[in-house]
Amino acid sequence: MNKADLQKNIGFIVATSLVIGTVIGSGIFMKPGSVIALAGDSTMALWAWVIGGIITLASGLTIAEVSVKIPKTGGLYAYLEEVYGKFWGFLCGWVQTIIYGPAVIGALGLYFGSLVASLFGFSDNSKTIIGIISVIFLCIVNLLGTQYGGFVQSLSTFGKLVPIALIAVFGIWQGDVPVFGMESESSQTISMGAAVLATLWAYDGWMNVGFVAGEMKNPAKTLPKAIITGIIIVMIAYLSVNIAMLHTLPANKIVELGPNAAKEAATLLFGEMGGKLIAIGILISIFGALNGKILTFPRIPFAMAEDKLLPGAKWLSRIHPKFKTPVQATVLQLVIAIIMMLAGNPDRLSDIAIFTVFLFYGLAFYAVFLLRKNGTDNNHLYKVPLYPVTPMIAILGAIYIVGSTLIYNPVDSLFSIFLSLSGLPVYKMIKSQKTKTTVRKVS
């Protein structure tokens, strides 16, 4: 099927469902307690979800313009390489390979393990082992062929929407706990920036919304509508679930329960058996999100290895002769993810992931201004609405997240920056090797 045929296949409904499907994962069930604790009370926590949604909406609309002007595979890595040069593309891909991808996979695995342990009454020590086993299992499934990973993904899409709808509707309808102005009673330092950062874990995935631009009937009209509609639906869903949980459980109880708050709220609303069924729905949602990350993230080091931009490129760029999957690139992500799972808790890993990726998101948002300035401004393509206000909101949001995280959590932030900069000597080494190879060929 050629590109022209593909362009006729995706309309508004499909594009909007892709937005919703790529964004909704584990965060809405795992993060309410963290957000309340960091925000200080229930009202500020709800505002954190709104601010996170606004930053996400502005970000998605901005990246959509970049994606239609740079119609290349590779996402963020490809955009930065095209606009800023090979070095920035490499550094972005390096960070996604050794920090962002493994940290996301690790956090999702640990959240999944925590819920499984709670649901079946296993010891608290078992959650890391369960998480690691789950990550290894899904890696094997995806290595056997993308059709198996795709099947798991399709199956889990329905599962993620059921618990959201049931908790939101019945929690708001049946709950009797005051929603607003309820103190968290947490000993954590109050930081609105950190609270917004926690919500952005739940909103993460919006970077994928622009990838389907080249396959739409009319991207100039369909893409912005799909992004706006999709992210607004996600915002409403997230706010509804948070209001429902606050209406069902006291704010301090949600903080105390942490990742198990949604399961406890479901048990109060639907009884022991109903609560377990909702908990299974939540597990399916997280399992699907984890599968999607394991399916897609190894493609970043694989693409970089194909461009000979990673050590061991020949090994990492191999495709299994039978299964046609990037085995070595997937194993690399798996090993780093397991090390992170053994070393850190899921909230910490998710914060590190969002912080590091927003370092590069800011550059991608600014690329809109550079692309327009350089004349890459085709009138028939999609343009970000309310330019330059929308991209400025996205840029300021990125600066706010990076700055507040540096202040709130300097140790993890500086460690993430150090790991990011560790790519500098690697890039120099690879460039030097390429130069030597070129000289040998010429001589």
Side-chain angles (χ1 to χ4, degrees):
M1 188 175 286
N2 61 39
K3 191 177 177 181
D5 293 327
L6 285 171
Q7 286 176 339
K8 298 175 183 178
N9 287 338
I10 296 181
F12 171 72
I13 299 295
V14 174
T16 303
S17 67
L18 283 170
V19 174
I20 297 167
T22 54
V23 172
I24 294 178
S26 68
I28 183 55
F29 307 115
M30 300 293 101
K31 288 294 186 180
S34 297
V35 176
I36 294 168
L38 291 164
D41 64 61
S42 58
T43 304
M44 293 307 293
L46 292 172
W47 273 114
W49 286 98
V50 172
I51 293 166
I54 291 169
I55 292 172
T56 303
L57 185 58
S59 302
L61 290 170
T62 303
I63 286 296
E65 179 169 333
V66 177
S67 70
V68 295
K69 287 179 177 177
I70 306 174
K72 290 184 176 181
T73 55
L76 190 62
Y77 162 62
Y79 304 152
L80 296 191
E81 184 180 69
E82 178 76 17
V83 177
Y84 299 102
K86 284 196 175 293
F87 169 71
W88 285 104
F90 164 82
L91 201 60
C92 173
W94 173 259
V95 165
Q96 287 181 296
T97 297
I98 69 162
I99 307 174
Y100 176 69
V104 170
I105 292 169
L108 286 169
L110 289 172
Y111 283 136
F112 183 79
S114 177
L115 276 184
V116 170
S118 172
L119 182 63
F120 295 102
F122 298 143
S123 68
D124 197 51
N125 295 329
S126 66
K127 60 186 180 185
T128 302
I129 298 167
I130 295 166
I132 290 172
I133 291 170
S134 305
V135 169
I136 293 171
F137 170 76
L138 283 175
C139 274
I140 294 169
V141 168
N142 281 282
L143 287 177
L144 292 175
T146 53
Q147 70 271 27
Y148 299 109
F151 173 74
V152 173
Q153 200 60 32
S154 302
L155 196 66
S156 66
T157 300
F158 179 71
K160 73 173 67 179
L161 297 175
V162 171
I164 286 175
L166 290 175
I167 290 172
V169 171
F170 285 90
I172 292 171
W173 177 29
Q174 295 185 350
D176 56 4
V177 179
V179 173
F180 300 102
M182 296 292 104
E183 295 292 327
S184 69
E185 296 180 19
S186 170
S187 59
Q188 272 190 279
T189 306
I190 294 173
S191 168
M192 196 61 180
V196 174
L197 180 77
T199 71
L200 289 172
W201 167 259
Y203 286 112
D204 192 38
W206 56 264
M207 178 56 78
N208 299 326
V209 301
F211 295 175
V212 294
E215 301 168 36
M216 290 182 181
K217 297 173 186 177
N218 186 349
K221 288 185 178 179
T222 305
L223 189 59
K225 284 181 184 176
I227 291 171
I228 292 168
T229 307
I231 293 178
I232 286 174
I233 289 171
V234 171
M235 284 177 69
I236 291 169
Y238 285 3
L239 281 168
S240 299
V241 168
N242 274 275
I243 290 169
M245 286 178 65
L246 286 164
H247 206 28
T248 307
L249 292 166
N252 62 330
K253 189 68 176 175
I254 295 173
V255 172
E256 182 189 322
L257 289 165
N260 296 307
K263 173 181 170 287
E264 181 66 22
T267 302
L268 288 173
L269 291 169
F270 307 109
E272 193 67 36
M273 182 55 69
K276 284 187 175 179
L277 289 173
I278 295 295
I280 290 167
I282 294 170
L283 281 173
I284 292 169
S285 173
I286 298 173
F287 196 70
L290 180 58
N291 176 75
K293 307 305 183 187
I294 291 171
L295 177 67
T296 55
F297 281 157
R299 270 64 184 174
I300 297 165
F302 175 75
M304 290 182 73
E306 281 199 314
D307 292 339
K308 294 181 172 56
L309 285 174
L310 281 178
K314 191 175 179 182
W315 184 76
L316 286 170
S317 61
R318 284 180 189 164
I319 295 175
H320 194 278
K322 182 181 178 181
F323 304 126
K324 306 299 181 188
T325 52
V327 176
Q328 283 84 342
T330 303
V331 170
L332 174 68
Q333 295 281 273
L334 171 66
V335 170
I336 301 172
I338 290 173
I339 292 169
M340 288 186 169
M341 292 171 81
L342 292 169
N345 66 62
D347 285 340
R348 193 175 182 184
L349 290 181
S350 63
D351 285 352
I352 287 170
I354 299 302
F355 171 76
T356 50
V357 84
F358 260 87
L359 290 170
F360 293 92
Y361 280 172
L363 287 173
F365 303 149
Y366 185 66
V368 169
F369 295 98
L370 296 177
L371 288 168
R372 290 203 182 192
K373 185 181 176 182
N374 295 336
T376 315
D377 194 11
N378 303 319
N379 291 323
H380 66 283
L381 294 177
Y382 160 80
K383 291 183 178 181
V384 59
L386 301 176
Y387 178 89
V389 176
T390 303
M392 283 305 299
I393 291 172
I395 291 167
L396 290 171
I399 293 169
Y400 173 66
I401 291 305
V402 171
S404 60
T405 309
L406 276 165
I407 294 166
Y408 170 75
N409 193 352
V411 175
D412 284 349
S413 302
L414 291 172
F415 180 67
S416 300
I417 292 170
F418 170 76
L419 281 179
S420 304
L421 294 176
S422 68
L424 293 174
V426 176
Y427 181 76
K428 271 190 159 186
M429 181 188 73
I430 291 166
K431 198 174 178 184
S432 175
Q433 286 175 347
K434 281 188 174 183
T435 305
K436 286 177 184 176
T437 305
T438 306
V439 168
R440 283 198 203 103
K441 284 180 180 178
V442 172
S443 59

